[in-house]
Amino acid sequence: MKNLLVTGGAGFIGSNFIHYMQKQNADIRIVNLDALTYAGSLENLKDLPRPEQHLFVHGSITDRALLDQLFSEHKIDTVVNFAAESHVDRSILNPGVFVDTNVIVPVEGARFHHVSTDEVFGTLTREDPPFEEETPYAPRSPYAAAKASSDHFVRAYQTTFGLPISISNCSNNYGPRQFPEKLIPLMILNALNGKPLPVYGDGMQIRDWLYVDDHCEAILRILQDGREGETYCVGGDNQPPNIEIVKTICDILDELQPDSAFAPHSQLITYVADRPGHDRRYDINIAKIERELGWKPSHDLRQGLVDTVRWYLSNPAWVEAITKQSDYDNWLKKNYSDRKA
Ligand code: NAD
Ligand code: TYD
């Protein structure tokens, strides 16, 4: 792996992955192709450890001519595909763009690693066993359906054309540089500003939470030692209900900002109308990646949340730039103003 093409590398996980890779491997050259949608920003790439080894290209993964040009100009040997529309709520309000971006076919001519989600497997009851690599697909949101479709295309290219691919299906990530439409950064920023903390439904939905650097490490292990054609499930082995995550963020803010006018921050918690088709529970079995590649998550959830809250407190300029450039207030209005308590 010498010349790596990262798609969607200006977004949350993609930018953390580029930071992570530059710390791990000083020699690798990274071309970063990103369409700079509302979720992508050059702010996420400002403080790279080796900027001279990173080339940003503004463009879409759907532009085949551009991809061909990048492949031949930069002798790309490995692709990691993060590019996607990634937010379930947006896929409910505007599903079409998810079909256009997320239903991709892999690029030929290099090892192609496709970053996918556990949401392709659908939802679990309290009694169901966790998702694993063999779990049948049963996506329920337009986001999950479009991601499932791309997973199928990637596998079809392997069986039909012999493309060297791999796929990871990962659970919910959190950490620095996550766009504040997702649960954790949204709650941090709303709490800091004394705004309501909108908990959907009864707040007892369950996600499996993984610190983003652990995900980056899992992808690197798969690129290095993963078997071609294989799928790996990746997760954090942490499954608190949403309300517990929100309360923990409130506790952390009470500790870090005891003089805040909004403390105790839990007074801001507001139950609002549930997300349509809301998946109740995710849980993921990581036995395969642990057994074959020796990977398991190393971040503790509480500590990861403390680090994440501290990061948002220490980066107000990032928050300002990201929210300004993305028409953020309009998104908040669209998603939350008509939600009944
Ligand atoms: P994100 O929304 O923060 O970033 C997505 C990036 O893709 C943005 O920079 C955006 O500009 C870019 N992009 C969108 N359409 C593009 C296109 N057509 N061409 C090129 N770039 C384009 O998303 P994220 O949270 O960083 O997620 C990255 C990937 O990981 C996605 O594929 C997502 O499905 C997957 N994933 C995310 C999570 C999670 O918890 N966030 C969990 C599992 C898997
Ligand atoms: P989210 O971060 O959007 O990720 P995903 O839907 O991909 O799991 O949401 C995580 C959980 O938090 C999910 O169960 C929905 C819930 N949620 C809220 O209760 N309130 C909110 O304002 C948001 C954004 C999410």
Side-chain angles (χ1 to χ4, degrees):
M1 186 167 44
K2 286 200 183 104
N3 298 309
L4 173 65
L5 175 66
V6 172
T7 72
F12 164 50
I13 309 176
S15 65
N16 277 285
F17 181 71
I18 293 173
H19 281 260
Y20 178 84
M21 287 298 286
Q22 290 208 329
K23 283 182 213 142
Q24 300 298 314
N25 181 342
D27 299 328
I28 198 159
R29 288 168 52 208
I30 300 178
V31 178
N32 176 3
L33 174 67
D34 195 294
L36 295 181
T37 67
Y38 77 92
S41 173
L42 298 179
E43 293 291 318
N44 291 333
L45 302 159
K46 262 187 171 167
D47 51 351
L48 285 176
R50 295 181 178 272
E52 71 287 356
Q53 296 282 83
H54 168 256
L55 174 73
F56 181 78
V57 179
H58 185 196
S60 173
I61 190 181
T62 56
D63 184 343
R64 304 305 287 193
L66 175 60
L67 283 168
D68 288 345
Q69 185 197 325
L70 294 177
F71 262 62
S72 67
E73 258 175 36
H74 301 286
K75 302 193 169 39
I76 299 298
D77 51 50
T78 309
V79 180
V80 181
N81 179 43
F82 293 96
E85 291 289 331
S86 68
H87 190 34
V88 173
D89 289 321
R90 288 191 196 244
S91 85
I92 294 168
L93 292 170
N94 185 17
V97 64
F98 284 71
V99 178
D100 296 341
T101 287
N102 294 10
V103 185
I104 55 104
V105 294
V107 202
E108 295 165 53
R111 167 75 183 274
F112 187 91
H113 182 75
H114 179 59
V115 178
S116 191
T117 165
D118 60 357
E119 303 192 24
V120 297
F121 299 122
T123 186
L124 297 170
T125 65
R126 205 191 310 211
E127 294 77 29
D128 285 333
F131 303 132
E132 56 185 23
E133 287 77 7
E134 307 307 324
T135 303
Y137 276 33
R140 290 158 35 93
S141 71
Y143 164 67
K147 290 296 291 185
S149 169
S150 60
D151 292 9
H152 289 316
F153 268 108
V154 171
R155 285 197 195 96
Y157 267 56
Q158 199 249 335
T159 43
T160 311
F161 305 116
L163 230 71
I165 61 98
S166 48
I167 298 179
S168 48
N169 292 96
C170 185
S171 62
N172 287 56
N173 284 215
Y174 70 99
R177 305 185 196 91
Q178 185 167 32
F179 188 82
E181 64 191 349
K182 304 282 166 57
L183 178 75
I184 289 175
L186 180 104
M187 294 297 167
I188 297 171
L189 295 190
N190 277 18
L192 275 176
N193 294 312
K195 291 192 195 159
L197 307 181
V199 173
Y200 296 166
D202 64 1
M204 291 305 290
Q205 305 84 3
I206 289 176
R207 299 292 181 265
D208 177 275
W209 293 97
L210 179 70
Y211 194 73
V212 63
D213 276 358
D214 282 332
H215 187 185
C216 296
E217 188 193 14
I219 295 170
L220 177 56
R221 291 278 177 90
I222 295 169
L223 291 174
Q224 286 171 330
D225 298 319
R227 288 184 289 141
E228 274 177 19
E230 290 291 313
T231 293
Y232 294 91
C233 282
V234 179
D237 216 4
N238 281 304
Q239 296 101 17
N242 291 342
I243 187 65
E244 213 177 281
I245 291 276
V246 177
K247 285 183 176 161
T248 306
I249 290 170
C250 292
D251 290 348
I252 293 169
L253 278 171
D254 291 348
E255 274 168 44
L256 295 178
Q257 308 228 297
D259 300 330
S260 162
F262 310 119
H265 292 86
S266 58
Q267 69 185 318
L268 299 168
I269 291 175
T270 309
Y271 288 89
V272 298
D274 208 351
R275 174 188 277 174
H278 199 170
D279 287 344
R280 191 68 181 166
R281 173 176 162 247
Y282 304 146
D283 186 4
I284 192 148
N285 183 339
I286 60 170
K288 176 176 174 182
I289 189 168
E290 201 171 350
R291 187 178 61 246
E292 291 191 12
L293 305 179
W295 177 89
K296 61 175 189 227
S298 62
H299 287 78
D300 165 76
L301 180 60
R302 165 110 196 166
Q303 189 53 49
L305 286 173
V306 171
D307 293 348
T308 304
V309 172
R310 279 192 204 281
W311 189 88
Y312 281 88
L313 288 174
S314 313
N315 287 280
W318 181 93
V319 172
E320 199 190 329
I322 292 288
T323 50
K324 240 190 212 149
Q325 74 181 39
S326 62
D327 208 10
Y328 185 61
D329 288 343
N330 225 356
W331 164 250
L332 294 181
K333 222 179 279 160
K334 210 169 162 186
N335 194 43
Y336 295 98
S337 61
D338 289 341
R339 271 197 140 90
K340 303 276 174 289

